[in-house]
């Protein structure tokens, strides 16, 4: 849902679990609350409604989405991965079984 929010340029408030942090990368595209702290998450949501920086964070999220998560970008990364694997195989770095 974080990637979907980024695609829609919607403000993001989430818990700072590893998967969310991985999607966000180094971007400052979300307000993160500590995991297992429902009160902090609720307060972050309320604050985000009035935060003038929310729209700027949402725009940074949209930018990250376009850089990393579009179909074209994911396909490019998959092609790059297989190209590296083929090169490594030719260099004798891949082994059977």
């Amino acid at each position: 849902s974080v990637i979907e929010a980024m695609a829609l340029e919607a403000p993001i408030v989430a818990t700072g679990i590893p998967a969310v942090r991985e999607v966000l990368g180094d971007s400052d595209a979300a307000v993160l609350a500590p995991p297992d702290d429902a009160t902090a998450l609720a307060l972050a949501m309320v604050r985000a409604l009035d935060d003038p920086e929310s729209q700027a964070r949402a725009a940074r999220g949209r930018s990250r989405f376009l850089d990393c998560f579009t179909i074209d970008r994911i396909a490019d990364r998959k092609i790059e991965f297989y190209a590296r694997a083929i090169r490594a195989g030719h260099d004798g770095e891949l082994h059977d079984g």
Side-chain angles (χ1 to χ4, degrees), residues 9 32 41 58 66 71 78 80 86:
E9 202 169 321
L32 298 179
L41 182 61
L66 293 172
I71 292 291
K78 191 162 284 233
E80 291 166 7
I86 290 168

Side-chain angles (χ1 to χ4, degrees), residues 11 28 31 48 50-60:
D28 178 24
V31 173
D50 292 326
D51 185 358
E53 182 64 16
S54 285
Q55 197 53 45
R57 270 193 300 277
R60 289 189 293 273

Side-chain angles (χ1 to χ4, degrees), residues 2-57:
V2 172
I3 293 172
E4 292 167 348
M6 291 164 68
L8 296 172
E9 202 169 321
I12 300 168
V13 177
T15 57
I17 61 173
V20 170
R21 290 185 181 278
E22 181 179 353
V23 167
L24 294 171
D26 293 334
S27 71
D28 178 24
V31 173
L32 298 179
D36 298 323
D37 190 341
T39 301
L41 182 61
L43 290 172
M45 284 189 258
V46 171
R47 279 194 307 267
L49 292 173
D50 292 326
D51 185 358
E53 182 64 16
S54 285
Q55 197 53 45
R57 270 193 300 277

